[in-house]
Amino acid sequence: MAEQRALIGVKYDDTYAVEETFQLFKIPWEWYDPSHTYDVVIARRGEVDLAGAYLVDLSEKDYFAEIARILNEGLPHCHEPVVEVLIDELRQILKEHTLLVEIPPVPWGYSYIVALTHDVDITSVRERRWVSVGYAVYQCLRKGMVKDAVRILGAKCGVGKDPWNCFEEWMRLEEELGVRSTWFFLPEKGKAGEGAPAIRAGYYDLDPELIRTLIDGGWEVGVHGLDNWRDVGAAREELRRVTDLTGNEAGTRVHWLLFDRDSWKILDEAGYSYDSTFGYNDDVGFRAGTMQPYRPRGCERLLEVPLNIQDLGLFGTFCWLPHDAGWDRVPCLHLSEDEAKKRCAEIFQYAQQYGGVVTLLWHHESLSPPHRWDVFYYTLIEITLRGKAWVVPAHLACDWYCMRRNIRIYIPKKDDHTIIIELAGDVVNTILPRLMIRVFAGPKNIKYPCSDHYINHDYLDIPCEKHLIEANFDDA
């Protein structure tokens, strides 16, 4: 095989920003070498000898700095995946000046990925204080749910079935849909977390039998962190409490989405496989600016799986957000179901357009009164399945992206009629859906000698089944 090469050279002083950008925008590239010939160079004007290559001038628009900033600092109330928009802008430029090859952020045969998750804050009416139970009864009565109000009061007094223990209902619902999800359990009973108000505490013990039932049934169990976001010792202990029962690696979502600039490094050092905290309590959208799992700056292994849609953000009346002087009570969107469906449809449409993972959070107690948000959840999943999404627990979405991240693409041969694409890494996985190669050929008539492919007016999609792929094209 000819020498491995890239058609795009990059000169930039922030290694992380470049490498993470090209994990999201998975194309062949290399660090600029003045002895190599390129179709495109990405650098600041005057820093390199172009030798006939087209320059993407970072002094005019610094894609790497902007993408890295958004991924690691986040955006307030962002309703557009701006990182994907920036990547697509760069994609359109490159397509004009080189034959672009990409591994898109979506599995072969699917349109996008949905990660289903549940935060387990409450498992029983009996474990809650009377003030919480009373408020729930009041909400039921306001909505005319008198029988539900009576059931909640009865359960608090030890009479009848507990309506806030919903695990069996959740499992039946998801089995009916043919999907599985991730459950984030609080690691310690009666603990609010350092500096947090007492109402943040949960009052249940981890149930080994329940956790084993979930694991054996194909669900995932993770850590609903209390202090793991602020202290590495606490992070390790909270992880241990859960993994001792599951026997598996675990990801986390921090309770109330508490987070600061050091949290990713702490979670990474403690051994979590992923985090899914970076989202909004009071809104839905794209806090990280992207739908793709990504590696935060300074982390060795941890991936962030951004949170996009949660039930309380859509339907809740208020939530608690921390600030330097304490806590603020902040209004949530409090939408009608029709309004909420439109907001979710916008996010699904972005996923259809760009690929990526839409992460849903439905709290464990959301099936029960006074919420009754189970029908909406069911409807959302039906919509995504009809839209050909791969609907999975968060860890499988992470696994697929890890497989994609570990692939390198090279172009050992390109001439007027043939392109050979070489993939370094494990391209075949018996559990996960296949990756695919997208060849942007512009006004070319692309020919591929295998029946398993898809031709668009602008590109050819090929499933990744081997390390060498050859495609032929002729002038139209």
Side-chain angles (χ1 to χ4, degrees):
M1 183 56 58
E3 178 186 1
Q4 292 177 335
R5 64 173 297 231
L7 307 176
I8 301 168
V10 179
K11 182 174 176 59
Y12 197 73
D13 57 2
D14 185 343
T15 300
Y16 165 82
V18 174
E19 291 182 345
E20 198 56 37
T21 295
F22 286 122
Q23 287 291 4
L24 303 182
F25 183 27
K26 196 78 175 176
I27 62 174
W29 69 280
E30 68 180 29
W31 293 108
Y32 173 78
D33 184 332
S35 68
H36 290 187
T37 301
Y38 300 104
D39 291 348
V40 178
V41 173
I42 305 176
R44 293 183 177 88
R45 185 172 297 278
E47 290 186 340
V48 296
D49 179 6
L50 294 175
Y54 178 82
L55 175 68
V56 177
D57 188 359
L58 297 177
S59 59
E60 294 181 357
K61 185 166 187 177
D62 194 331
Y63 291 95
F64 299 131
E66 185 66 3
I67 289 171
R69 181 190 67 81
I70 294 169
L71 294 178
N72 289 279
E73 296 179 12
L75 296 167
H77 302 288
C78 179
H79 301 135
E80 179 184 44
V82 291
V83 168
E84 264 75 32
V85 172
L86 287 167
I87 287 172
D88 192 55
E89 185 178 317
L90 185 57
R91 179 185 292 113
Q92 300 310 316
I93 294 170
L94 296 178
K95 280 167 51 181
E96 293 182 11
H97 300 283
T98 188
L99 194 146
L100 190 63
V101 177
E102 179 180 0
I103 299 180
V106 59
W108 175 258
Y110 297 95
S111 55
Y112 59 102
I113 301 173
V114 174
L116 300 179
T117 69
H118 308 293
D119 290 356
V120 184
D121 301 342
I122 299 168
T123 66
S124 168
V125 173
R126 299 180 185 92
E127 75 196 31
R128 305 306 296 174
R129 297 180 301 166
W130 270 107
V131 64
S132 298
V133 174
Y135 182 65
V137 169
Y138 166 71
Q139 288 182 301
C140 286
L141 293 175
R142 281 189 60 196
K143 298 176 182 179
M145 301 161 63
V146 177
K147 290 184 179 179
D148 288 316
V150 171
R151 289 177 60 213
I152 292 171
L153 283 173
K156 180 62 177 173
C157 297
V159 178
K161 184 181 183 299
D162 193 320
W164 290 359
N165 188 312
C166 310
F167 292 103
E168 291 183 2
E169 289 90 339
W170 274 115
M171 287 187 279
R172 280 198 299 269
L173 183 152
E174 293 184 351
E175 283 177 341
E176 182 178 334
L177 288 163
V179 299
R180 295 294 186 269
S181 57
T182 299
W183 297 85
F184 294 109
F185 283 87
L186 293 169
E188 190 169 348
K189 179 179 179 179
K191 182 177 180 180
E194 186 176 346
I199 57 171
R200 185 172 180 251
Y203 294 94
Y204 62 85
D205 291 310
L206 292 172
D207 182 342
E209 184 176 350
L210 169 63
I211 288 174
R212 180 44 52 193
T213 297
L214 291 169
I215 296 291
D216 290 346
W219 285 269
E220 180 195 10
V221 171
V223 180
H224 201 26
L226 293 167
D227 286 326
N228 65 348
W229 63 282
R230 60 186 302 161
D231 178 80
V232 70
R236 288 184 177 126
E237 176 59 21
E238 292 180 12
L239 180 63
R240 183 198 63 78
R241 286 172 179 264
V242 172
T243 57
D244 279 356
L245 298 178
T246 65
N248 299 324
E249 291 186 330
T252 185
R253 175 178 295 128
V254 180
H255 193 24
W256 285 19
L257 306 188
L258 299 187
F259 218 71
D260 65 26
R261 61 186 301 170
D262 297 320
S263 294
W264 279 314
K265 293 180 183 179
I266 289 169
L267 296 171
D268 185 48
E269 183 179 348
Y272 292 83
S273 56
Y274 69 87
D275 172 70
S276 188
T277 303
F278 215 44
Y280 304 122
N281 280 307
D282 58 341
D283 201 352
V284 297
F286 306 96
R287 183 179 177 186
T290 183
M291 293 172 285
Q292 295 191 50
Y294 64 94
R295 183 151 296 148
R297 188 184 292 274
C299 292
E300 297 293 326
R301 181 170 175 268
L302 183 87
L303 291 185
E304 176 61 30
V305 183
L307 172 61
N308 306 112
I309 300 170
Q310 73 151 305
D311 49 6
L312 291 177
L314 288 170
F315 301 121
T317 53
F318 70 90
C319 61
W320 294 98
L321 297 181
H323 58 82
D324 292 341
W327 298 81
D328 281 337
R329 179 169 155 153
V330 177
C332 298
L333 295 176
H334 198 47
L335 302 177
S336 69
E337 289 200 359
D338 285 342
E339 292 169 330
K341 191 176 293 185
K342 290 178 183 177
R343 292 294 292 271
C344 294
E346 291 172 1
I347 293 174
F348 296 147
Q349 183 58 46
Y350 279 126
Q352 290 266 10
Q353 181 177 356
Y354 295 115
V357 180
V358 178
T359 303
L360 270 61
L361 159 58
W362 240 246
H363 287 77
H364 164 256
E365 69 274 17
S366 293
L367 282 184
S368 62
H371 299 316
R372 293 291 191 194
W373 296 333
D374 52 328
V375 174
F376 191 87
Y377 177 81
Y378 194 101
T379 300
L380 283 189
I381 297 177
E382 284 190 316
I383 290 170
T384 64
L385 291 172
R386 286 197 301 269
K388 297 185 178 180
W390 184 43
V391 183
V392 290
H395 78 102
L396 286 179
C398 259
D399 288 348
W400 189 86
Y401 270 88
C402 284
M403 178 173 68
R404 177 174 176 260
R405 291 175 68 89
N406 290 333
I407 298 292
R408 290 296 302 267
I409 319 171
Y410 302 96
I411 309 296
K413 179 180 179 182
K414 180 184 83 81
D415 57 32
D416 291 340
H417 300 287
T418 303
I419 181 171
I420 293 178
I421 303 159
E422 182 174 358
L423 304 177
D426 294 331
V427 299
V428 178
N429 186 297
T430 58
I431 298 174
L432 302 172
R434 291 175 288 180
L435 302 163
M436 64 176 163
I437 286 287
R438 178 164 292 170
V439 183
F440 293 93
K444 298 283 185 178
N445 181 23
I446 314 171
K447 298 178 180 179
Y448 183 63
C450 176
S451 60
D452 198 7
H453 68 275
Y454 171 76
I455 297 179
N456 182 278
H457 74 281
D458 193 36
Y459 58 78
L460 165 71
D461 282 345
I462 309 167
C464 293
E465 298 177 309
K466 50 190 178 181
H467 289 93
L468 290 177
I469 297 171
E470 179 176 338
N472 303 303
F473 45 84
D474 299 309
D475 291 333

